[in-house]
Amino acid sequence: MTRPLPRAARRHWAALERTGSPAPPAAAPAALAGLPEPARRWLARAVPPGTPAWSMAELRMRGEIRLGGRWRAFSARQLLAPGVGFVWAARTRVLGLPVTGFDRYGADGGELRWRLLGVVPVLSAAGPDITRSAAGRLAGEGVIVPPACVRATWSAGTVPGTAVMSWVLDGTPEECLVRVDPEGRLVELRMQRWGDPDGTGSGRHPFGVSLSAEESFAGVRVPTALRAGWGWGTDRQAEGEFFRARIEDVRFR
């Protein structure tokens, strides 16, 4: 049985739902013609002809997140609309007690809100730095909704097999380098994401996601195993990894 969303997340979830199209038209294969070859190879494989041009998806996932130096199991639901916003509502345990809450990004900025036992505040944060970091997260996670990624701005990557996907969020371009294997599978994302991973002040830091495994949902091929962290591509990548997840279900809208 799916757990209910935290009460504070429901309003944001409902507002994001209203931004979607109730009956999207079929994605046009011609829209891929001008994309860099790796992006075209990925999207042509992931989005079969005739697929609706879905603009968002509801996800269910499970995994582990590193908190306080320890890996902790979590389960989560997410509503994700590339280029628009997301709400990620999750549940984990600390010292055996349930911690629930959500991260989000939308027209009114980004926010984190987490509570112990659903009552005691654990973390609440908002403001420009949270918003910019959440915007970077949205830019990268858009790949989980491949039909929507056709609408991104694309340019050639810096090395073979890569392309750069860009979304303008809050007036700022958020760029993500995607790496595609010869068969058209998405295998890695890299970006300079806003954040403060080492406690020295907010700024742009290397961030990345490894993508493996793949499943089809409503005919769309989606990467389903994710590992993410700061310091990606540097000698601090292993210590910067903080998120591992397996996507269990995707429902496009």
Side-chain angles (χ1 to χ4, degrees):
M1 180 177 178
T2 302
R3 293 183 181 273
L5 293 169
R7 181 178 300 176
R10 295 174 197 166
R11 174 170 57 88
H12 302 295
W13 187 287
L16 186 56
E17 283 183 316
R18 290 193 291 271
T19 68
S21 171
L32 305 182
L35 302 187
E37 192 279 331
R40 187 168 65 250
R41 180 159 26 103
W42 165 50
L43 290 169
R45 182 177 185 277
V47 186
T51 299
W54 285 304
S55 60
M56 69 172 61
E58 182 175 345
L59 318 173
R60 285 193 299 106
M61 67 183 73
R62 292 183 182 274
E64 295 178 302
I65 189 166
R66 191 159 65 181
L67 299 171
R70 293 182 55 188
W71 287 98
R72 304 179 190 277
F74 76 85
S75 60
R77 291 173 62 192
Q78 182 173 15
L79 187 62
L80 174 62
V84 180
F86 71 85
V87 179
W88 186 78
R91 180 182 183 90
T92 187
R93 286 184 174 271
V94 175
L95 299 177
L97 300 175
V99 175
T100 58
F102 64 93
D103 298 355
R104 71 171 184 90
Y105 173 86
D108 57 348
E111 180 185 13
L112 314 175
R113 193 183 301 184
W114 296 88
R115 293 181 179 272
L116 179 70
L117 298 170
V119 178
V120 182
V122 174
L123 174 63
S124 294
D129 288 331
I130 297 297
T131 293
R132 293 182 74 176
S133 183
R137 173 177 173 172
L138 176 63
E141 289 186 351
V143 299
I144 302 173
V145 192
C149 291
V150 179
R151 298 186 286 105
T153 298
W154 288 91
S155 58
T158 54
V159 296
T162 67
V164 177
M165 181 175 65
S166 178
W167 301 89
V168 177
L169 301 165
D170 285 325
T172 300
E174 295 288 345
E175 295 186 342
C176 180
L177 183 77
V178 304
R179 184 161 63 89
V180 181
D181 76 7
E183 286 72 43
R185 297 181 183 87
L186 196 61
V187 294
E188 186 184 37
L189 313 177
R190 293 193 181 199
M191 66 191 309
Q192 292 292 315
R193 181 182 168 190
W194 191 267
D196 184 16
D198 52 11
T200 59
S202 294
R204 296 279 179 181
H205 297 270
F207 183 86
V209 184
S210 171
L211 301 153
S212 60
E214 186 183 68
E215 292 186 37
S216 290
F217 299 94
V220 178
R221 292 187 173 96
V222 175
T224 53
L226 298 79
R227 302 168 69 100
W230 298 97
W232 206 262
T234 75
D235 58 3
R236 301 185 65 183
Q237 179 172 324
E239 65 183 272
E241 184 177 330
F242 68 89
F243 185 83
R244 301 168 180 168
R246 181 83 184 203
I247 296 174
E248 298 179 329
D249 188 47
V250 180
R251 298 185 181 186
F252 295 104
R253 303 182 183 181

